Coordinates of all heavy atoms in Angstrom, one line a residue:
T417 N 28.8 52.7 12.7 CA 29.1 53.6 13.8 C 28.1 54.7 14.0 O 27.6 55.3 13.1 CB 30.5 54.4 13.5 OG1 31.5 53.5 13.3 CG2 30.8 55.3 14.7
R418 N 27.7 54.8 15.3 CA 26.6 55.8 15.6 C 27.4 57.2 15.9 O 28.4 57.1 16.5 CB 25.8 55.3 16.9 CG 24.9 56.3 17.5 CD 24.1 55.7 18.6 NE 23.3 56.6 19.3 CZ 22.5 56.4 20.4 NH1 22.5 55.1 20.8 NH2 21.8 57.3 21.0
V419 N 26.8 58.2 15.5 CA 27.5 59.5 15.7 C 26.4 60.5 16.2 O 25.3 60.3 16.1 CB 28.0 60.0 14.3 CG1 29.1 59.2 13.8 CG2 26.9 60.2 13.2
S420 N 27.1 61.5 17.0 CA 26.3 62.6 17.5 C 27.0 63.8 17.5 O 28.3 63.8 17.7 CB 25.9 62.2 19.0 OG 25.0 61.0 19.0
Q421 N 26.4 65.0 17.4 CA 27.0 66.3 17.6 C 26.1 67.0 18.5 O 24.9 67.4 18.1 CB 27.2 67.0 16.2 CG 27.8 68.4 16.4 CD 28.2 69.0 15.1 OE1 29.1 68.7 14.4 NE2 27.4 70.1 14.7
I422 N 26.6 67.5 19.6 CA 25.9 68.2 20.5 C 26.4 69.7 20.6 O 27.7 69.8 21.0 CB 25.9 67.7 22.0 CG1 25.2 66.2 21.9 CG2 25.2 68.5 23.0 CD1 26.3 65.1 21.6
T423 N 25.6 70.7 20.3 CA 26.1 72.1 20.4 C 25.3 73.0 21.4 O 24.0 72.9 21.4 CB 26.1 72.7 18.9 OG1 26.8 71.8 18.1 CG2 26.7 74.1 19.0
Y424 N 26.0 73.8 22.2 CA 25.3 74.5 23.2 C 25.9 75.9 23.4 O 27.2 76.0 23.4 CB 25.3 73.8 24.6 CG 24.6 74.4 25.9 CD1 23.3 74.7 25.7 CD2 25.3 74.7 26.9 CE1 22.5 75.4 26.7 CE2 24.6 75.2 28.0 CZ 23.3 75.6 27.8 OH 22.7 76.2 29.0
D425 N 25.0 76.9 23.4 CA 25.6 78.3 23.5 C 25.2 79.0 24.8 O 25.3 80.2 24.8 CB 25.1 79.2 22.2 CG 23.6 79.3 22.2 OD1 23.0 78.9 23.2 OD2 23.2 79.9 21.2
G426 N 24.7 78.2 25.7 CA 24.3 78.7 27.0 C 22.8 78.9 27.1 O 22.3 79.0 28.2
E427 N 22.2 79.0 26.0 CA 20.7 79.1 25.9 C 20.0 77.9 25.1 O 19.0 77.3 25.4 CB 20.2 80.4 25.4 CG 20.7 81.6 26.3 CD 20.1 82.9 25.7 OE1 19.4 82.9 24.7 OE2 20.4 83.9 26.4
N428 N 20.6 77.7 23.9 CA 19.9 76.9 22.9 C 20.8 75.7 22.6 O 22.1 75.8 22.6 CB 19.6 77.6 21.7 CG 18.7 78.8 21.7 OD1 17.6 78.6 22.3 ND2 19.0 80.0 21.3
W429 N 20.1 74.5 22.4 CA 20.8 73.2 22.0 C 20.5 72.9 20.5 O 19.5 73.3 20.0 CB 20.3 72.1 22.9 CG 20.5 72.2 24.4 CD1 19.8 72.8 25.3 CD2 21.6 71.9 25.0 NE1 20.3 72.7 26.5 CE2 21.5 72.1 26.4 CE3 22.8 71.2 24.6 CZ2 22.4 71.7 27.4 CZ3 23.9 70.8 25.6 CH2 23.6 71.1 27.0
E430 N 21.5 72.3 20.0 CA 21.3 71.7 18.7 C 21.9 70.2 18.6 O 23.1 70.2 18.9 CB 21.9 72.4 17.5 CG 21.7 71.8 16.2 CD 22.5 72.4 15.0 OE1 23.7 72.3 14.9 OE2 21.8 73.1 14.1
I431 N 21.0 69.2 18.5 CA 21.4 67.9 18.5 C 21.3 67.2 17.2 O 20.1 67.2 16.7 CB 20.7 67.0 19.7 CG1 20.5 67.9 20.9 CG2 21.2 65.7 19.8 CD1 21.7 68.0 21.7
I432 N 22.4 66.8 16.6 CA 22.4 66.1 15.3 C 22.9 64.7 15.6 O 24.1 64.6 16.1 CB 23.1 66.9 14.4 CG1 22.6 68.2 14.0 CG2 23.3 66.0 13.0 CD1 23.4 69.1 13.1
S433 N 22.1 63.7 15.3 CA 22.6 62.3 15.5 C 22.6 61.6 14.3 O 22.1 62.2 13.2 CB 21.8 61.7 16.6 OG 22.0 62.3 17.9
G434 N 23.0 60.4 14.3 CA 22.9 59.5 13.0 C 23.9 58.4 13.0 O 24.3 57.9 14.1
L435 N 24.3 58.1 11.9 CA 25.1 56.8 11.8 C 25.9 56.9 10.4 O 25.6 57.7 9.5 CB 24.3 55.5 11.8 CG 23.1 55.3 10.9 CD1 23.6 54.8 9.4 CD2 22.1 54.3 11.4
K436 N 26.9 56.1 10.4 CA 27.7 56.0 9.1 C 28.3 54.6 9.1 O 28.2 53.7 10.0 CB 28.9 56.9 9.1 CG 30.0 56.7 10.3 CD 31.0 57.7 10.2 CE 32.1 57.5 11.3 NZ 33.1 58.4 11.2
D437 N 28.6 54.1 7.7 CA 29.1 52.9 7.4 C 28.1 51.8 7.7 O 28.6 50.7 8.1 CB 30.4 52.6 8.2 CG 31.4 53.6 7.9 OD1 31.5 54.1 6.7 OD2 32.3 54.0 8.8
L438 N 26.8 52.0 7.5 CA 25.9 51.0 7.6 C 25.6 50.4 6.2 O 25.1 51.1 5.4 CB 24.4 51.5 8.2 CG 23.4 50.5 8.2 CD1 23.7 49.3 9.1 CD2 22.0 51.2 8.7
T439 N 26.2 49.2 5.9 CA 26.2 48.6 4.5 C 24.8 47.7 4.4 O 24.5 46.9 5.3 CB 27.4 47.7 4.3 OG1 28.4 48.6 4.4 CG2 27.3 47.1 2.9
V440 N 24.1 48.1 3.4 CA 22.7 47.3 3.1 C 22.7 47.0 1.6 O 23.3 47.6 0.8 CB 21.6 48.4 3.5 CG1 21.4 48.6 5.0 CG2 21.6 49.7 2.8
M441 N 22.0 45.9 1.4 CA 21.8 45.5 0.0 C 20.4 44.9 -0.2 O 19.9 44.2 0.7 CB 22.9 44.4 -0.3 CG 22.8 43.8 -1.7 SD 23.8 42.3 -2.0 CE 25.3 43.2 -2.0
N442 N 19.8 45.2 -1.4 CA 18.7 44.5 -1.9 C 19.1 43.7 -3.0 O 19.7 44.3 -4.0 CB 17.5 45.4 -2.3 CG 16.8 46.0 -1.1 OD1 16.7 45.3 -0.1 ND2 16.2 47.2 -1.2
S443 N 18.9 42.4 -3.1 CA 19.3 41.6 -4.3 C 18.4 41.6 -5.4 O 18.8 41.1 -6.5 CB 19.6 40.2 -3.8 OG 18.4 39.6 -3.2
T444 N 17.2 42.2 -5.3 CA 16.3 42.4 -6.3 C 15.3 43.5 -5.9 O 15.6 44.3 -5.0 CB 15.5 41.1 -6.6 OG1 14.7 41.2 -7.8 CG2 14.6 40.8 -5.4
N445 N 14.2 43.7 -6.7 CA 13.2 44.8 -6.5 C 13.8 46.1 -6.7 O 13.5 47.1 -6.1 CB 12.6 44.7 -5.1 CG 11.6 43.6 -5.1 OD1 11.3 42.8 -6.0 ND2 11.0 43.4 -3.9
S446 N 14.8 46.1 -7.6 CA 15.4 47.4 -8.1 C 15.6 47.6 -9.6 O 16.1 46.5 -10.2 CB 16.9 47.7 -7.3 OG 17.4 48.8 -7.7
E447 N 15.3 48.6 -10.2 CA 15.5 48.7 -11.6 C 16.2 50.2 -11.8 O 16.1 51.1 -10.9 CB 14.1 48.8 -12.3 CG 13.3 47.6 -12.0 CD 12.0 47.5 -12.7 OE1 11.7 48.6 -13.6 OE2 11.0 46.7 -12.4
F448 N 16.5 50.4 -13.1 CA 17.2 51.7 -13.5 C 17.0 51.8 -15.0 O 17.8 51.1 -15.7 CB 18.5 51.9 -13.0 CG 19.1 53.3 -13.3 CD1 18.5 54.4 -12.7 CD2 20.2 53.4 -14.0 CE1 19.0 55.6 -12.9 CE2 20.7 54.8 -14.2 CZ 20.1 55.9 -13.6
W449 N 16.2 52.6 -15.4 CA 15.9 52.7 -16.9 C 15.2 54.0 -17.1 O 14.9 54.8 -16.3 CB 15.0 51.6 -17.4 CG 13.8 51.2 -16.6 CD1 13.6 50.5 -15.6 CD2 12.5 51.9 -16.9 NE1 12.3 50.5 -15.1 CE2 11.6 51.4 -15.9 CE3 12.0 52.7 -17.8 CZ2 10.3 51.7 -15.9 CZ3 10.6 53.2 -17.8 CH2 9.9 52.7 -16.9
G450 N 15.1 54.4 -18.4 CA 14.4 55.7 -18.8 C 15.2 56.9 -18.6 O 14.7 58.0 -18.6
Y451 N 16.5 56.8 -18.4 CA 17.4 57.9 -18.2 C 17.9 58.6 -19.4 O 17.7 58.1 -20.5 CB 18.6 57.5 -17.3 CG 19.3 56.1 -17.8 CD1 20.2 56.2 -18.9 CD2 19.0 54.9 -17.2 CE1 20.7 55.0 -19.2 CE2 19.5 53.8 -17.7 CZ 20.4 53.8 -18.6 OH 20.9 52.7 -19.1
V452 N 18.4 59.8 -19.2 CA 18.9 60.4 -20.3 C 20.1 59.7 -21.0 O 21.1 59.2 -20.3 CB 19.4 61.9 -20.0 CG1 20.1 62.6 -21.1 CG2 18.2 62.7 -19.4
K453 N 20.1 59.8 -22.3 CA 21.2 59.0 -23.0 C 21.8 60.1 -24.1 O 21.1 60.8 -24.8 CB 20.7 57.9 -23.8 CG 20.1 56.9 -23.0 CD 19.6 55.6 -23.8 CE 18.8 54.6 -22.7 NZ 17.6 55.1 -22.2

Side-chain angles (χ1 to χ4, degrees):
T417 300
R418 178 175 170 177
V419 295
S420 300
Q421 176 174 289
I422 299 91
T423 306
Y424 182 54
D425 63 6
E427 295 182 2
N428 299 309
W429 295 94
E430 182 184 75
I431 312 295
I432 298 175
S433 298
L435 53 81
K436 62 181 180 179
D437 301 326
L438 174 61
T439 301
V440 293
M441 174 190 288
N442 283 331
S443 57
T444 189
N445 284 1
S446 176
E447 305 179 14
F448 188 59
W449 51 271
Y451 43 81
V452 174
K453 303 177 182 67

